[in-house]
Amino acid sequence: MPQLGQNVSLERRAWNIRRHAIRMGEVQGQGYIAQALDIADVLATAYFHA
């Protein structure tokens, strides 16, 4: 099992960002989910690879 997020693929990190965006939109009952889903790959690369 990975420790503290080590050895987690960028694909999996982007998936987690998308999952959290959907959950946040669901809780609030509103939001612009499409933009969060679109930018998830860029965010994962910027935060975890660069």
Side-chain angles (χ1 to χ4, degrees), residues 29-48:
Q30 62 182 1
Y32 297 100
I33 302 299
Q35 290 88 343
L37 300 179
D38 286 343
I39 200 72
D41 293 320
V42 174
L43 291 174
T45 301
Y47 285 118
F48 301 107

Side-chain angles (χ1 to χ4, degrees), residues 13-35:
R13 290 182 191 272
W15 183 86
N16 283 331
I17 292 169
R18 288 184 182 96
R19 184 173 60 102
H20 288 297
I22 290 171
R23 293 175 105 190
M24 288 170 37
E26 182 180 57
V27 168
Q28 294 177 356
Q30 62 182 1
Y32 297 100
I33 302 299
Q35 290 88 343

